[in-house]
Each structure stands twice: as C-alpha cells, then as structure tokens.
Amino acid sequence: SSSTTAAQSATVQPSTEPTPVQVGGMLLELQALRRLAAVNAKQRAGACIPTMELDPTVALAELLNTSSPARAWPYQTCAEYGFFQTCEVGSECPFARGALSLSGSFEMCRRAFGISAAEVAVHVARTNARYGGNRPAASRVLFINGDVDPWSALGVLASPDGNRSEPVYLAAGASHHSWTHPADSIVQPSVRRAKELVWHYVTQWLHEIDVSF
C-alpha cells in the first residue's frame, strides 16, 4: 500500500533531546557529561574524582590513611567551619548535580573522623561565634573574592565597617584566588586591580604601624 511504502522510505531523524545517562543513581545528560569530562581531562589528565556518592570506598581510602596530608582540609571542614563543596539535585549548580551532596559530606565526616552531622553544626556555630562569620570584627583586612568562584558564597562580600578598615573587592569574572598567582601572560583587568589593592592596602597599613623597637 502507499502508506507502507511511505513508511519504508521515511528517513529516521536522530533525536536532538539530551540523552540521559545513569551514574550512581543519577540521570545525567550525555552532552553535559562530555563537557565535564573535557574539563577534567585538562585538569586531572582524565583521572576520576571519587566522591562519597559515587565511589565511597575510593573516596575514603586516602582519608583513612592517618599519614596522608590529604586529611587536613577535610578534617577542618568537619571540625571547624563546614566549607563543604556541594552540587545538590534541584539546585542551579552547573556541574553533575547529586555527585556532591551535604549528606555525603556529613557521611565523610562520620566515617573518616568520627564526627557526626550534629557535631559539625556545633563546630560551625562555635567558629562563627569566635571569628564573626561573614561580619568579622577585625582591622586591616582586605577581603577579595572572585564572582565566579563557588567559594565566594562563604566569603565576606560586604564590608562590616564601611570599607574603613575591612575593605572588600569582588573581582568580576575571576575564579578562586586568581590574584595570588604570579604575573603571567593572561592579564585580566579585575585580577590586576585586585593585586593593586593588595599592594595599596598592605603598604598603607604598614606605614600606620609603629614597627620601631
């Protein structure tokens, strides 16, 4: 029949919909996964980054080695300030949502250091009470953050004293502590300005202090 002939001669068009991939209980779009893999190939030579959600055995292996220096930062996050890197399902995180969760971080604290989620909350509250959280009562401190740095959400973004002795600077388009690296061929205006501010304030504050003995 004509309908059968038409069906046989029809060209099947490939779907343009993102292809979901099952990874550790999560559905990730294939295109997004490939982009993330490309970034990882440049940063870590293609080596995987184990997480408590995807591969807890590998993720814990080094943390359970008491001679490993890799334990220091995770221990501080559990015992002091809770700077956990998360990418939760349902959030606007641009990476693999669900691969890093707060519950997974709490599980890391419990299994690696014997610190419960409730104890983490107590430690964070104690640290904030001691140092002032995002409104520290300090002096002669310049707070710099990059506006595309995920850590900036936990930074001091508004001067607690109107920029008198605790100035802030948000470097547009800058990532994690870009201004602490030595000069190179990439000169980003906001990063260059951050370095200028460091020089300006440190010089000014040193002149304000009597260093004679």
Side-chain angles (χ1 to χ4, degrees), residues 17-210:
E17 293 297 314
T19 304
V21 179
Q22 189 79 22
V23 179
M26 300 174 296
L27 285 177
L28 304 179
E29 293 180 2
L30 184 58
Q31 292 177 351
L33 192 62
R34 284 173 174 164
R35 289 195 297 269
L36 182 61
V39 172
N40 186 55
K42 290 182 178 295
Q43 293 182 332
R44 296 174 52 85
C48 292
I49 303 174
T51 71
M52 291 297 296
E53 290 75 12
L54 301 182
D55 198 342
T57 302
V58 175
L60 281 169
E62 191 166 24
L63 295 181
L64 293 175
N65 176 6
T66 56
S67 63
S68 172
R71 286 169 53 91
W73 172 257
Y75 176 77
Q76 281 186 286
T77 64
C78 300
E80 292 185 52
Y81 33 66
F83 274 23
F84 298 118
Q85 295 169 297
T86 61
C87 195
E88 301 282 2
V89 174
S91 71
E92 296 182 358
C93 174
F95 306 112
R97 298 169 193 171
L100 288 169
S101 65
L102 184 59
S103 60
S105 297
F106 286 151
E107 181 66 6
M108 177 272 294
C109 292
R110 185 186 70 81
R111 295 177 64 178
F113 307 110
I115 300 174
S116 69
E119 289 172 315
V120 172
V122 171
H123 297 163
V124 171
R126 181 180 61 206
T127 300
N128 285 339
R130 178 169 183 176
Y131 297 106
N134 62 1
R135 294 191 62 83
S139 63
R140 298 188 177 100
V141 179
L142 170 61
F143 298 97
I144 302 177
N145 283 279
D147 69 353
V148 296
D149 179 6
W151 295 105
S152 65
L154 294 172
V156 178
L157 303 179
S159 174
D161 68 352
N163 287 320
R164 291 188 300 275
S165 186
E166 295 179 276
V168 300
Y169 176 67
L170 190 62
S175 187
H176 197 49
H177 61 73
S178 302
W179 46 92
T180 64
H181 301 311
D184 52 31
S185 59
I186 301 175
V187 182
Q188 186 172 330
S190 63
V191 173
R192 183 172 62 246
R193 178 58 178 160
K195 293 181 177 182
E196 291 171 350
L197 288 172
V198 170
W199 181 268
H200 167 76
Y201 280 109
V202 170
T203 303
Q204 173 184 312
W205 291 332
L206 286 175
H207 281 114
E208 293 174 355
I209 301 172
D210 182 5

